[in-house]
Amino acid sequence: MISRYEDCLAVLRDDALFTADPRRLRDAGALGPERAGTLAPEDRAPVRELLTDAFRAQDFGQLAADVREFTRHLLTAREGRTETQFVADLAVPVASYAAGALFGGGLARRDGFLDTCRDAARGMTAGATPEEAEAGLRARALLGQMLRAEYRYAHGGSDRRGGVLRYLRLHEAERAVALEALTGALCALLFAALNSGPRLLGNALNALVRTPGSLPRLATVNGPRLTAALDELIRYDSPFQAQDRAVTSATTLGGRRLAAGDRVRVLLGSAHRDPEVFPHPDLLDLSRTPNPHFAFGLGPHACLGVPLALLEARVLLTEFAAAHPDATPARPGLREPHPTLRGFLTLPVAVSR
């Protein structure tokens, strides 16, 4: 295990020496990225390239406006209540709607989509009951059917307003990508969004309501200051706490010799509290700059959904802060019992009427 920032950075930067290839990780007895095994090795690069182009082609300004309208509708529907379950009432539906709207093709507004996302997200948590886990499996299968149907009939609008699905339909023939590999990757991306988005949002809100003055301050910042605040919230309590890598050839790391085949566990959460890089690391400082966290990974394994995750955080957290600047913890939230993912199963927050 490594925890110093510089050692973690060295591993994440060198994918040739420290591989995340799920086959090598299995050989080393480690757990690889949950979605890595969905694609054959020869499909990963072309699929990722096509998906990256599809994401870059989207109008994230319009998407943000759509997600903001949806978020305000949720907040308005809860006016008059003195408590909200932030994860279940806001984080999960906002993350679900944002992912569906990004994919396009009418997915976000499809009958049953948000409810199915809720069941899928709950089933993927470490604290799920056997019944919830089984319901989650059924929900993920249904979401896969919905996504494939929307992909098949994606049409209308421009590339920038038609969503990821329309872009892929227009450009799939240009790339040597098998349809099943592409739709499988889309499902994996959707499940990853449902898995990580609510964790990020819950962790951030918990930090804000437990740090006096932070929530009303967030309501007043924008531009670079808002970007800095979001980076700090992600560094402070990242949803991803560790990643595994397998060593491909003998090397030295942090003064220790490693042999080919050795496993290295990168403790991201510890690296983000390294005082040599982050002064006063246990302090939530919304103006912290620079803030070189690597919460979303680096290089070829950087998360494709970073723009979506930041959009969700930017919209939901600022809207909630504006509506409830005096929100406080109602009771301690219930953390998810997971060794490498960090999030809340429940996060009750007291708000004024």
Side-chain angles (χ1 to χ4, degrees), residues 55 58-60 62-64 66-67 70 91-118 143 146-148 150-151 154 160-166 186-187 189-194 197 308-309 311-312:
F55 271 56
Q58 302 312 303
D59 186 344
F60 277 88
Q62 182 59 52
L63 178 63
D66 293 344
V67 175
F70 177 80
V92 170
V94 167
S96 302
Y97 179 85
L102 174 64
F103 278 51
L107 188 63
R109 300 186 184 280
R110 190 181 178 107
D111 287 346
F113 175 73
L114 294 179
D115 289 340
T116 307
C117 286
R118 177 201 60 210
L143 285 174
M146 291 181 182
L147 192 151
R148 287 179 170 89
E150 292 293 343
Y151 180 79
R160 296 180 65 80
R161 290 303 307 273
V164 167
L165 297 181
R166 174 167 171 74
L186 286 169
C187 289
L189 279 174
L190 177 58
F191 301 155
L194 299 179
L308 178 64
L311 182 151
E312 293 167 4

Tab-separated table of all heavy atoms in Angstrom, residues 55 58-60 62-64 66-67 70 91-118 143 146-148 150-151 154 160-166 186-187 189-194 197 308-309 311-312:
chain	number	residue	atom	x	y	z
A	55	PHE	N	-18.623	12.743	-25.900
A	55	PHE	CA	-18.783	13.615	-24.737
A	55	PHE	C	-18.379	15.043	-25.082
A	55	PHE	O	-19.046	16.006	-24.709
A	55	PHE	CB	-17.938	13.093	-23.572
A	55	PHE	CG	-18.649	12.101	-22.699
A	55	PHE	CD1	-19.205	10.956	-23.233
A	55	PHE	CD2	-18.763	12.307	-21.335
A	55	PHE	CE1	-19.857	10.041	-22.439
A	55	PHE	CE2	-19.419	11.401	-20.524
A	55	PHE	CZ	-19.971	10.255	-21.071
A	58	GLN	N	-20.906	17.401	-26.835
A	58	GLN	CA	-22.164	17.777	-26.202
A	58	GLN	C	-22.185	19.227	-25.739
A	58	GLN	O	-21.142	19.816	-25.433
A	58	GLN	CB	-22.450	16.850	-25.007
A	58	GLN	CG	-22.525	15.377	-25.384
A	58	GLN	CD	-23.402	15.126	-26.586
A	58	GLN	OE1	-24.577	15.494	-26.586
A	58	GLN	NE2	-22.851	14.501	-27.617
A	59	ASP	N	-23.361	19.787	-25.692
A	59	ASP	CA	-23.567	21.159	-25.226
A	59	ASP	C	-23.790	21.105	-23.712
A	59	ASP	O	-24.927	20.975	-23.244
A	59	ASP	CB	-24.776	21.763	-25.935
A	59	ASP	CG	-24.966	23.235	-25.606
A	59	ASP	OD1	-24.365	23.703	-24.614
A	59	ASP	OD2	-25.719	23.908	-26.326
A	60	PHE	N	-22.712	21.189	-22.940
A	60	PHE	CA	-22.830	21.065	-21.486
A	60	PHE	C	-23.487	22.300	-20.868
A	60	PHE	O	-24.020	22.222	-19.758
A	60	PHE	CB	-21.461	20.800	-20.867
A	60	PHE	CG	-21.057	19.352	-20.914
A	60	PHE	CD1	-20.385	18.844	-22.006
A	60	PHE	CD2	-21.380	18.488	-19.883
A	60	PHE	CE1	-20.027	17.505	-22.074
A	60	PHE	CE2	-21.034	17.151	-19.925
A	60	PHE	CZ	-20.350	16.654	-21.034
A	62	GLN	N	-26.186	23.794	-22.140
A	62	GLN	CA	-27.605	23.476	-22.205
A	62	GLN	C	-27.957	22.362	-21.231
A	62	GLN	O	-29.009	22.387	-20.590
A	62	GLN	CB	-27.988	23.056	-23.626
A	62	GLN	CG	-29.470	22.740	-23.805
A	62	GLN	CD	-30.355	23.924	-23.466
A	62	GLN	OE1	-30.143	25.021	-23.975
A	62	GLN	NE2	-31.346	23.708	-22.607
A	63	LEU	N	-27.069	21.376	-21.109
A	63	LEU	CA	-27.311	20.294	-20.164
A	63	LEU	C	-27.403	20.840	-18.744
A	63	LEU	O	-28.285	20.439	-17.967
A	63	LEU	CB	-26.193	19.256	-20.263
A	63	LEU	CG	-26.291	18.080	-19.290
A	63	LEU	CD1	-27.544	17.252	-19.556
A	63	LEU	CD2	-25.049	17.196	-19.384
A	64	ALA	N	-26.512	21.765	-18.400
A	64	ALA	CA	-26.547	22.358	-17.068
A	64	ALA	C	-27.864	23.082	-16.826
A	64	ALA	O	-28.444	23.001	-15.732
A	64	ALA	CB	-25.375	23.316	-16.886
A	66	ASP	N	-30.756	22.373	-18.207
A	66	ASP	CA	-31.792	21.349	-18.043
A	66	ASP	C	-31.738	20.735	-16.648
A	66	ASP	O	-32.778	20.541	-15.998
A	66	ASP	CB	-31.616	20.250	-19.093
A	66	ASP	CG	-31.884	20.728	-20.501
A	66	ASP	OD1	-32.491	21.809	-20.656
A	66	ASP	OD2	-31.487	20.026	-21.456
A	67	VAL	N	-30.533	20.421	-16.176
A	67	VAL	CA	-30.378	19.807	-14.857
A	67	VAL	C	-30.748	20.805	-13.765
A	67	VAL	O	-31.346	20.438	-12.745
A	67	VAL	CB	-28.942	19.288	-14.669
A	67	VAL	CG1	-28.732	18.754	-13.249
A	67	VAL	CG2	-28.635	18.190	-15.696
A	70	PHE	N	-34.511	20.868	-13.487
A	70	PHE	CA	-34.961	19.654	-12.793
A	70	PHE	C	-34.686	19.753	-11.296
A	70	PHE	O	-35.532	19.401	-10.466
A	70	PHE	CB	-34.241	18.442	-13.388
A	70	PHE	CG	-34.566	17.141	-12.715
A	70	PHE	CD1	-35.743	16.460	-13.003
A	70	PHE	CD2	-33.686	16.588	-11.793
A	70	PHE	CE1	-36.041	15.259	-12.385
A	70	PHE	CE2	-33.981	15.379	-11.166
A	70	PHE	CZ	-35.154	14.716	-11.459
A	91	ALA	N	-29.673	13.743	-4.374
A	91	ALA	CA	-28.461	13.306	-5.078
A	91	ALA	C	-28.738	12.223	-6.108
A	91	ALA	O	-28.282	12.312	-7.256
A	91	ALA	CB	-27.420	12.825	-4.066
A	92	VAL	N	-29.483	11.193	-5.721
A	92	VAL	CA	-29.751	10.094	-6.658
A	92	VAL	C	-30.597	10.556	-7.843
A	92	VAL	O	-30.236	10.295	-9.002
A	92	VAL	CB	-30.389	8.890	-5.938
A	92	VAL	CG1	-30.880	7.851	-6.948
A	92	VAL	CG2	-29.382	8.252	-4.984
A	93	PRO	N	-31.720	11.251	-7.632
A	93	PRO	CA	-32.497	11.683	-8.806
A	93	PRO	C	-31.763	12.684	-9.694
A	93	PRO	O	-31.879	12.617	-10.919
A	93	PRO	CB	-33.767	12.296	-8.205
A	93	PRO	CG	-33.504	12.496	-6.766
A	93	PRO	CD	-32.471	11.499	-6.380
A	94	VAL	N	-30.978	13.594	-9.123
A	94	VAL	CA	-30.243	14.548	-9.954
A	94	VAL	C	-29.172	13.826	-10.768
A	94	VAL	O	-29.014	14.074	-11.974
A	94	VAL	CB	-29.621	15.662	-9.097
A	94	VAL	CG1	-28.590	16.468	-9.899
A	94	VAL	CG2	-30.709	16.596	-8.579
A	95	ALA	N	-28.422	12.927	-10.141
A	95	ALA	CA	-27.401	12.172	-10.877
A	95	ALA	C	-28.037	11.316	-11.970
A	95	ALA	O	-27.486	11.192	-13.072
A	95	ALA	CB	-26.600	11.297	-9.910
A	96	SER	N	-29.189	10.742	-11.686
A	96	SER	CA	-29.881	9.904	-12.669
A	96	SER	C	-30.374	10.737	-13.843
A	96	SER	O	-30.172	10.377	-15.014
A	96	SER	CB	-31.060	9.185	-12.004
A	96	SER	OG	-30.640	8.390	-10.918
A	97	TYR	N	-31.022	11.850	-13.542
A	97	TYR	CA	-31.547	12.701	-14.606
A	97	TYR	C	-30.417	13.269	-15.456
A	97	TYR	O	-30.517	13.295	-16.694
A	97	TYR	CB	-32.373	13.846	-14.010
A	97	TYR	CG	-32.929	14.765	-15.070
A	97	TYR	CD1	-34.121	14.472	-15.711
A	97	TYR	CD2	-32.238	15.916	-15.450
A	97	TYR	CE1	-34.619	15.299	-16.709
A	97	TYR	CE2	-32.729	16.749	-16.444
A	97	TYR	CZ	-33.918	16.437	-17.065
A	97	TYR	OH	-34.395	17.249	-18.059
A	98	ALA	N	-29.342	13.717	-14.809
A	98	ALA	CA	-28.227	14.303	-15.551
A	98	ALA	C	-27.607	13.287	-16.502
A	98	ALA	O	-27.304	13.607	-17.661
A	98	ALA	CB	-27.178	14.838	-14.583
A	99	ALA	N	-27.423	12.052	-16.036
A	99	ALA	CA	-26.853	11.018	-16.901
A	99	ALA	C	-27.786	10.719	-18.062
A	99	ALA	O	-27.351	10.607	-19.218
A	99	ALA	CB	-26.580	9.758	-16.087
A	100	GLY	N	-29.084	10.595	-17.787
A	100	GLY	CA	-30.039	10.321	-18.848
A	100	GLY	C	-30.110	11.442	-19.859
A	100	GLY	O	-30.187	11.203	-21.069
A	101	ALA	N	-30.069	12.688	-19.370
A	101	ALA	CA	-30.123	13.834	-20.275
A	101	ALA	C	-28.867	13.924	-21.128
A	101	ALA	O	-28.931	14.308	-22.309
A	101	ALA	CB	-30.311	15.121	-19.469
A	102	LEU	N	-27.711	13.596	-20.565
A	102	LEU	CA	-26.472	13.597	-21.341
A	102	LEU	C	-26.515	12.546	-22.443
A	102	LEU	O	-26.113	12.806	-23.578
A	102	LEU	CB	-25.279	13.351	-20.428
A	102	LEU	CG	-23.918	13.188	-21.123
A	102	LEU	CD1	-23.516	14.475	-21.833
A	102	LEU	CD2	-22.844	12.782	-20.118
A	103	PHE	N	-27.035	11.382	-22.122
A	103	PHE	CA	-27.131	10.335	-23.131
A	103	PHE	C	-28.121	10.728	-24.222
A	103	PHE	O	-27.938	10.389	-25.382
A	103	PHE	CB	-27.543	9.014	-22.487
A	103	PHE	CG	-26.401	8.264	-21.874
A	103	PHE	CD1	-25.535	8.866	-20.990
A	103	PHE	CD2	-26.181	6.941	-22.178
A	103	PHE	CE1	-24.468	8.184	-20.437
A	103	PHE	CE2	-25.122	6.240	-21.633
A	103	PHE	CZ	-24.266	6.865	-20.745
A	104	GLY	N	-29.179	11.428	-23.837
A	104	GLY	CA	-30.138	11.922	-24.819
A	104	GLY	C	-31.092	10.849	-25.302
A	104	GLY	O	-31.305	9.823	-24.649
A	105	GLY	N	-31.703	11.118	-26.464
A	105	GLY	CA	-32.651	10.164	-27.014
A	105	GLY	C	-33.919	10.015	-26.211
A	105	GLY	O	-34.652	9.034	-26.367
A	106	GLY	N	-34.204	10.957	-25.310
A	106	GLY	CA	-35.405	10.847	-24.488
A	106	GLY	C	-35.247	9.944	-23.279
A	106	GLY	O	-36.224	9.656	-22.582
A	107	LEU	N	-34.016	9.493	-23.002
A	107	LEU	CA	-33.804	8.534	-21.918
A	107	LEU	C	-34.222	9.096	-20.567
A	107	LEU	O	-34.897	8.418	-19.786
A	107	LEU	CB	-32.331	8.118	-21.891
A	107	LEU	CG	-31.957	6.975	-20.945
A	107	LEU	CD1	-32.665	5.683	-21.335
A	107	LEU	CD2	-30.441	6.758	-20.956
A	108	ALA	N	-33.841	10.343	-20.270
A	108	ALA	CA	-34.105	10.913	-18.949
A	108	ALA	C	-35.599	11.035	-18.656
A	108	ALA	O	-36.018	10.963	-17.499
A	108	ALA	CB	-33.440	12.278	-18.822
A	109	ARG	N	-36.401	11.228	-19.706
A	109	ARG	CA	-37.838	11.416	-19.508
A	109	ARG	C	-38.646	10.159	-19.834
A	109	ARG	O	-39.870	10.199	-19.877
A	109	ARG	CB	-38.319	12.592	-20.365
A	109	ARG	CG	-37.623	13.903	-20.001
A	109	ARG	CD	-38.192	15.091	-20.747
A	109	ARG	NE	-37.456	16.302	-20.469
A	109	ARG	CZ	-37.612	17.055	-19.375
A	109	ARG	NH1	-38.509	16.692	-18.474
A	109	ARG	NH2	-36.894	18.145	-19.206
A	110	ARG	N	-37.965	9.073	-20.058
A	110	ARG	CA	-38.638	7.813	-20.350
A	110	ARG	C	-39.379	7.330	-19.101
A	110	ARG	O	-38.877	7.429	-17.977
A	110	ARG	CB	-37.609	6.769	-20.791
A	110	ARG	CG	-38.208	5.485	-21.359
A	110	ARG	CD	-37.096	4.517	-21.731
A	110	ARG	NE	-37.638	3.280	-22.238
A	110	ARG	CZ	-37.609	2.920	-23.511
A	110	ARG	NH1	-37.060	3.731	-24.415
A	110	ARG	NH2	-38.109	1.758	-23.905
A	111	ASP	N	-40.593	6.821	-19.290
A	111	ASP	CA	-41.389	6.335	-18.156
A	111	ASP	C	-40.604	5.301	-17.355
A	111	ASP	O	-40.092	4.321	-17.912
A	111	ASP	CB	-42.696	5.712	-18.649
A	111	ASP	CG	-43.697	6.748	-19.150
A	111	ASP	OD1	-43.488	7.943	-18.860
A	111	ASP	OD2	-44.654	6.358	-19.837
A	112	GLY	N	-40.514	5.528	-16.063
A	112	GLY	CA	-39.871	4.570	-15.172
A	112	GLY	C	-38.364	4.705	-15.076
A	112	GLY	O	-37.737	4.009	-14.261
A	113	PHE	N	-37.757	5.603	-15.865
A	113	PHE	CA	-36.297	5.686	-15.868
A	113	PHE	C	-35.753	6.091	-14.501
A	113	PHE	O	-34.844	5.434	-13.966
A	113	PHE	CB	-35.830	6.682	-16.934
A	113	PHE	CG	-34.340	6.914	-16.935
A	113	PHE	CD1	-33.481	5.942	-17.419
A	113	PHE	CD2	-33.804	8.095	-16.441
A	113	PHE	CE1	-32.104	6.152	-17.414
A	113	PHE	CE2	-32.440	8.314	-16.441
A	113	PHE	CZ	-31.579	7.340	-16.924
A	114	LEU	N	-36.277	7.146	-13.902
A	114	LEU	CA	-35.727	7.625	-12.639
A	114	LEU	C	-35.941	6.612	-11.514
A	114	LEU	O	-35.056	6.389	-10.683
A	114	LEU	CB	-36.342	8.972	-12.269
A	114	LEU	CG	-35.988	10.137	-13.197
A	114	LEU	CD1	-36.682	11.414	-12.735
A	114	LEU	CD2	-34.485	10.351	-13.257
A	115	ASP	N	-37.121	5.987	-11.480
A	115	ASP	CA	-37.367	4.973	-10.456
A	115	ASP	C	-36.439	3.778	-10.634
A	115	ASP	O	-35.951	3.197	-9.655
A	115	ASP	CB	-38.825	4.509	-10.508
A	115	ASP	CG	-39.802	5.566	-10.011
A	115	ASP	OD1	-39.360	6.496	-9.292
A	115	ASP	OD2	-40.992	5.481	-10.347
A	116	THR	N	-36.200	3.398	-11.871
A	116	THR	CA	-35.308	2.271	-12.135
A	116	THR	C	-33.880	2.619	-11.757
A	116	THR	O	-33.146	1.786	-11.200
A	116	THR	CB	-35.381	1.858	-13.617
A	116	THR	OG1	-36.740	1.624	-13.977
A	116	THR	CG2	-34.583	0.586	-13.868
A	117	CYS	N	-33.468	3.852	-12.025
A	117	CYS	CA	-32.147	4.309	-11.598
A	117	CYS	C	-32.013	4.256	-10.079
A	117	CYS	O	-30.966	3.868	-9.546
A	117	CYS	CB	-31.888	5.732	-12.086
A	117	CYS	SG	-31.545	5.875	-13.851
A	118	ARG	N	-33.049	4.660	-9.381
A	118	ARG	CA	-33.023	4.621	-7.913
A	118	ARG	C	-32.783	3.198	-7.417
A	118	ARG	O	-31.950	2.954	-6.539
A	118	ARG	CB	-34.353	5.150	-7.367
A	118	ARG	CG	-34.494	5.099	-5.843
A	118	ARG	CD	-35.959	5.145	-5.456
A	118	ARG	NE	-36.680	4.009	-6.032
A	118	ARG	CZ	-37.976	4.040	-6.379
A	118	ARG	NH1	-38.684	5.141	-6.245
A	118	ARG	NH2	-38.556	2.945	-6.866
A	143	LEU	N	-32.450	-1.074	-17.270
A	143	LEU	CA	-31.789	0.127	-17.779
A	143	LEU	C	-31.008	-0.192	-19.052
A	143	LEU	O	-30.972	0.614	-19.984
A	143	LEU	CB	-30.849	0.703	-16.721
A	143	LEU	CG	-31.503	1.436	-15.551
A	143	LEU	CD1	-30.455	1.814	-14.523
A	143	LEU	CD2	-32.262	2.670	-16.020
A	146	MET	N	-33.515	-0.240	-21.793
A	146	MET	CA	-33.922	1.120	-22.135
A	146	MET	C	-32.858	1.816	-22.971
A	146	MET	O	-33.158	2.453	-23.992
A	146	MET	CB	-34.172	1.936	-20.856
A	146	MET	CG	-35.376	1.545	-20.050
A	146	MET	SD	-35.523	2.642	-18.602
A	146	MET	CE	-36.959	1.936	-17.784
A	147	LEU	N	-31.613	1.695	-22.547
A	147	LEU	CA	-30.533	2.386	-23.233
A	147	LEU	C	-30.363	1.855	-24.652
A	147	LEU	O	-30.206	2.629	-25.603
A	147	LEU	CB	-29.243	2.231	-22.428
A	147	LEU	CG	-28.059	3.112	-22.830
A	147	LEU	CD1	-27.189	3.393	-21.613
A	147	LEU	CD2	-27.217	2.442	-23.902
A	148	ARG	N	-30.408	0.536	-24.803
A	148	ARG	CA	-30.245	-0.044	-26.140
A	148	ARG	C	-31.398	0.355	-27.058
A	148	ARG	O	-31.202	0.596	-28.253
A	148	ARG	CB	-30.119	-1.556	-26.037
A	148	ARG	CG	-28.769	-2.025	-25.477
A	148	ARG	CD	-28.692	-3.545	-25.360
A	148	ARG	NE	-27.339	-3.972	-25.044
A	148	ARG	CZ	-26.860	-4.103	-23.806
A	148	ARG	NH1	-27.649	-3.797	-22.760
A	148	ARG	NH2	-25.617	-4.505	-23.599
A	150	GLU	N	-33.189	3.181	-26.826
A	150	GLU	CA	-32.999	4.585	-27.176
A	150	GLU	C	-31.874	4.747	-28.184
A	150	GLU	O	-31.944	5.590	-29.083
A	150	GLU	CB	-32.712	5.411	-25.919
A	150	GLU	CG	-33.884	5.527	-24.955
A	150	GLU	CD	-35.035	6.340	-25.522
A	150	GLU	OE1	-34.827	7.081	-26.513
A	150	GLU	OE2	-36.144	6.221	-24.985
A	151	TYR	N	-30.835	3.941	-28.043
A	151	TYR	CA	-29.726	4.020	-28.991
A	151	TYR	C	-30.178	3.615	-30.392
A	151	TYR	O	-29.822	4.248	-31.391
A	151	TYR	CB	-28.583	3.109	-28.527
A	151	TYR	CG	-27.389	3.134	-29.453
A	151	TYR	CD1	-26.484	4.186	-29.412
A	151	TYR	CD2	-27.176	2.122	-30.375
A	151	TYR	CE1	-25.395	4.223	-30.269
A	151	TYR	CE2	-26.092	2.151	-31.235
A	151	TYR	CZ	-25.205	3.204	-31.178
A	151	TYR	OH	-24.135	3.244	-32.025
A	154	ALA	N	-32.298	6.536	-31.765
A	154	ALA	CA	-31.845	7.916	-31.561
A	154	ALA	C	-31.901	8.674	-32.881
A	154	ALA	O	-31.362	8.234	-33.891
A	154	ALA	CB	-30.415	7.931	-31.020
A	160	ARG	N	-25.099	18.467	-31.107
A	160	ARG	CA	-24.896	19.055	-29.785
A	160	ARG	C	-26.148	18.991	-28.922
A	160	ARG	O	-26.057	19.044	-27.711
A	160	ARG	CB	-24.427	20.512	-29.931
A	160	ARG	CG	-23.069	20.626	-30.601
A	160	ARG	CD	-22.643	22.078	-30.719
A	160	ARG	NE	-22.424	22.691	-29.408
A	160	ARG	CZ	-21.324	22.522	-28.689
A	160	ARG	NH1	-20.350	21.758	-29.138
A	160	ARG	NH2	-21.183	23.127	-27.532
A	161	ARG	N	-27.314	18.902	-29.527
A	161	ARG	CA	-28.547	18.817	-28.741
A	161	ARG	C	-29.115	17.404	-28.717
A	161	ARG	O	-30.035	17.131	-27.980
A	161	ARG	CB	-29.601	19.771	-29.317
A	161	ARG	CG	-29.314	21.238	-29.123
A	161	ARG	CD	-29.128	21.599	-27.656
A	161	ARG	NE	-30.235	21.147	-26.846
A	161	ARG	CZ	-31.342	21.841	-26.645
A	161	ARG	NH1	-31.479	23.020	-27.213
A	161	ARG	NH2	-32.298	21.376	-25.880
A	162	GLY	N	-28.560	16.511	-29.539
A	162	GLY	CA	-29.121	15.170	-29.631
A	162	GLY	C	-28.585	14.187	-28.618
A	162	GLY	O	-29.057	13.063	-28.530
A	163	GLY	N	-27.566	14.580	-27.856
A	163	GLY	CA	-27.027	13.716	-26.837
A	163	GLY	C	-25.975	12.752	-27.358
A	163	GLY	O	-25.708	12.647	-28.554
A	164	VAL	N	-25.366	12.038	-26.423
A	164	VAL	CA	-24.307	11.087	-26.742
A	164	VAL	C	-24.818	10.000	-27.677
A	164	VAL	O	-24.114	9.588	-28.604
A	164	VAL	CB	-23.744	10.479	-25.444
A	164	VAL	CG1	-22.862	9.267	-25.741
A	164	VAL	CG2	-22.961	11.532	-24.663
A	165	LEU	N	-26.037	9.533	-27.460
A	165	LEU	CA	-26.552	8.432	-28.272
A	165	LEU	C	-26.644	8.822	-29.740
A	165	LEU	O	-26.277	8.043	-30.628
A	165	LEU	CB	-27.915	7.992	-27.756
A	165	LEU	CG	-27.942	7.429	-26.338
A	165	LEU	CD1	-29.365	7.003	-25.970
A	165	LEU	CD2	-26.991	6.251	-26.191
A	166	ARG	N	-27.152	10.019	-30.012
A	166	ARG	CA	-27.267	10.442	-31.412
A	166	ARG	C	-25.886	10.599	-32.045
A	166	ARG	O	-25.679	10.191	-33.196
A	166	ARG	CB	-28.047	11.757	-31.519
A	166	ARG	CG	-28.057	12.312	-32.951
A	166	ARG	CD	-29.047	13.412	-33.156
A	166	ARG	NE	-28.865	14.048	-34.454
A	166	ARG	CZ	-29.219	13.515	-35.628
A	166	ARG	NH1	-29.760	12.312	-35.652
A	166	ARG	NH2	-29.013	14.167	-36.751
A	186	LEU	N	-21.630	1.782	-22.956
A	186	LEU	CA	-22.621	2.784	-22.572
A	186	LEU	C	-23.330	2.381	-21.284
A	186	LEU	O	-23.555	3.200	-20.391
A	186	LEU	CB	-23.632	2.977	-23.696
A	186	LEU	CG	-23.144	3.743	-24.925
A	186	LEU	CD1	-24.160	3.633	-26.052
A	186	LEU	CD2	-22.880	5.201	-24.582
A	187	CYS	N	-23.693	1.112	-21.187
A	187	CYS	CA	-24.330	0.623	-19.954
A	187	CYS	C	-23.388	0.782	-18.768
A	187	CYS	O	-23.797	1.221	-17.685
A	187	CYS	CB	-24.730	-0.842	-20.111
A	187	CYS	SG	-26.121	-1.126	-21.216
A	189	LEU	N	-21.004	2.929	-18.415
A	189	LEU	CA	-20.902	4.349	-18.075
A	189	LEU	C	-22.120	4.826	-17.290
A	189	LEU	O	-21.998	5.588	-16.330
A	189	LEU	CB	-20.745	5.180	-19.348
A	189	LEU	CG	-19.351	5.258	-19.957
A	189	LEU	CD1	-19.407	5.988	-21.285
A	189	LEU	CD2	-18.385	5.957	-19.013
A	190	LEU	N	-23.291	4.377	-17.702
A	190	LEU	CA	-24.506	4.760	-16.984
A	190	LEU	C	-24.465	4.231	-15.559
A	190	LEU	O	-24.766	4.960	-14.598
A	190	LEU	CB	-25.736	4.235	-17.718
A	190	LEU	CG	-27.083	4.485	-17.042
A	190	LEU	CD1	-27.317	5.976	-16.825
A	190	LEU	CD2	-28.224	3.880	-17.872
A	191	PHE	N	-24.078	2.975	-15.388
A	191	PHE	CA	-24.017	2.399	-14.047
A	191	PHE	C	-22.950	3.089	-13.202
A	191	PHE	O	-23.141	3.301	-11.998
A	191	PHE	CB	-23.737	0.893	-14.127
A	191	PHE	CG	-24.758	0.113	-14.903
A	191	PHE	CD1	-24.427	-1.094	-15.494
A	191	PHE	CD2	-26.056	0.586	-15.054
A	191	PHE	CE1	-25.367	-1.822	-16.220
A	191	PHE	CE2	-27.005	-0.124	-15.781
A	191	PHE	CZ	-26.655	-1.335	-16.370
A	192	ALA	N	-21.837	3.469	-13.835
A	192	ALA	CA	-20.794	4.181	-13.101
A	192	ALA	C	-21.294	5.538	-12.622
A	192	ALA	O	-20.995	5.974	-11.506
A	192	ALA	CB	-19.557	4.353	-13.982
A	193	ALA	N	-22.087	6.214	-13.456
A	193	ALA	CA	-22.646	7.512	-13.067
A	193	ALA	C	-23.587	7.366	-11.875
A	193	ALA	O	-23.586	8.193	-10.958
A	193	ALA	CB	-23.376	8.137	-14.249
A	194	LEU	N	-24.392	6.304	-11.884
A	194	LEU	CA	-25.324	6.069	-10.780
A	194	LEU	C	-24.586	5.619	-9.524
A	194	LEU	O	-25.067	5.823	-8.408
A	194	LEU	CB	-26.343	4.996	-11.181
A	194	LEU	CG	-27.234	5.318	-12.379
A	194	LEU	CD1	-28.165	4.150	-12.668
A	194	LEU	CD2	-28.026	6.588	-12.141
A	197	GLY	N	-21.891	9.258	-8.756
A	197	GLY	CA	-22.461	10.587	-8.617
A	197	GLY	C	-23.072	10.862	-7.252
A	197	GLY	O	-22.726	11.867	-6.596
A	308	LEU	N	-19.536	15.390	-16.420
A	308	LEU	CA	-20.876	15.169	-15.884
A	308	LEU	C	-20.874	15.284	-14.366
A	308	LEU	O	-21.758	15.919	-13.780
A	308	LEU	CB	-21.385	13.793	-16.309
A	308	LEU	CG	-22.763	13.404	-15.781
A	308	LEU	CD1	-23.838	14.341	-16.324
A	308	LEU	CD2	-23.088	11.953	-16.146
A	309	ALA	N	-19.888	14.687	-13.706
A	309	ALA	CA	-19.818	14.742	-12.243
A	309	ALA	C	-19.677	16.179	-11.757
A	309	ALA	O	-20.340	16.598	-10.788
A	309	ALA	CB	-18.641	13.894	-11.751
A	311	LEU	N	-20.591	18.886	-13.364
A	311	LEU	CA	-21.843	19.587	-13.660
A	311	LEU	C	-22.883	19.305	-12.575
A	311	LEU	O	-23.549	20.231	-12.089
A	311	LEU	CB	-22.354	19.160	-15.033
A	311	LEU	CG	-23.642	19.818	-15.561
A	311	LEU	CD1	-23.606	19.865	-17.085
A	311	LEU	CD2	-24.893	19.065	-15.106
A	312	GLU	N	-23.027	18.042	-12.194
A	312	GLU	CA	-23.988	17.689	-11.150
A	312	GLU	C	-23.668	18.417	-9.852
A	312	GLU	O	-24.570	18.960	-9.183
A	312	GLU	CB	-23.963	16.182	-10.907
A	312	GLU	CG	-24.478	15.351	-12.062
A	312	GLU	CD	-24.160	13.880	-11.912
A	312	GLU	OE1	-23.604	13.492	-10.854
A	312	GLU	OE2	-24.461	13.114	-12.849
